[in-house]
Amino acid sequence: MNQVAAPDPRDNEPLRDGSPLMGYLHILRKAHLALVGRDEAHRRFHLMSTRGHARKYIEELMPLLLKERGKHRLKRHGVHRH
C-alpha cells in the first residue's frame, strides 16, 4: 500500500529570493541545465512560485541527478557498465 504524505502547511507560501531554499533550487537548476539544456531547464524552473512547487521540482529532479551522479562516479573510477 502506498502512503501519501500529508501536504505541508507551508506548501502555499511563496518562494523568497535570498532564502536558503532558493539557493538550493538555483544549484539544482544548474545541474538540470547540464542534463536537458537551457530552454527546458529554464522553462521548468520558472514554473515555480511556491514552496510546494519547489518540493515537486526537487522530487522530480533528484532521481535524474542521482542517476547521472552514479554514472559519473562509475566512469571516474574506471568501472564501465555495458
Side-chain angles (χ1 to χ4, degrees), residues 15 25 29 32 39-57 60:
L15 291 172
L25 293 171
R29 183 181 74 162
H32 196 203
D39 292 339
E40 177 62 23
H42 186 73
R43 181 198 63 76
R44 180 61 186 91
F45 187 81
H46 286 284
L47 291 174
M48 290 185 293
S49 61
T50 67
R51 291 175 60 94
H53 293 147
R55 184 171 41 81
K56 184 172 180 184
Y57 179 71
E60 290 172 4

Side-chain angles (χ1 to χ4, degrees), residues 11 14 19 50:
D11 276 355
S19 70
T50 67

Side-chain angles (χ1 to χ4, degrees), residues 23-79:
Y24 182 67
L25 293 171
H26 280 283
I27 292 167
L28 289 180
R29 183 181 74 162
K30 186 175 178 180
H32 196 203
L33 280 164
L35 288 178
V36 300
R38 184 188 183 281
D39 292 339
E40 177 62 23
H42 186 73
R43 181 198 63 76
R44 180 61 186 91
F45 187 81
H46 286 284
L47 291 174
M48 290 185 293
S49 61
T50 67
R51 291 175 60 94
H53 293 147
R55 184 171 41 81
K56 184 172 180 184
Y57 179 71
I58 293 166
E59 289 171 352
E60 290 172 4
L61 194 53
M62 285 309 294
L64 299 171
L65 295 177
L66 291 172
K67 182 178 176 182
E68 287 301 312
R69 182 179 71 176
K71 287 181 191 178
H72 178 76
R73 285 182 173 175
L74 288 174
K75 196 180 290 186
R76 187 177 64 202
H77 293 292
V79 179

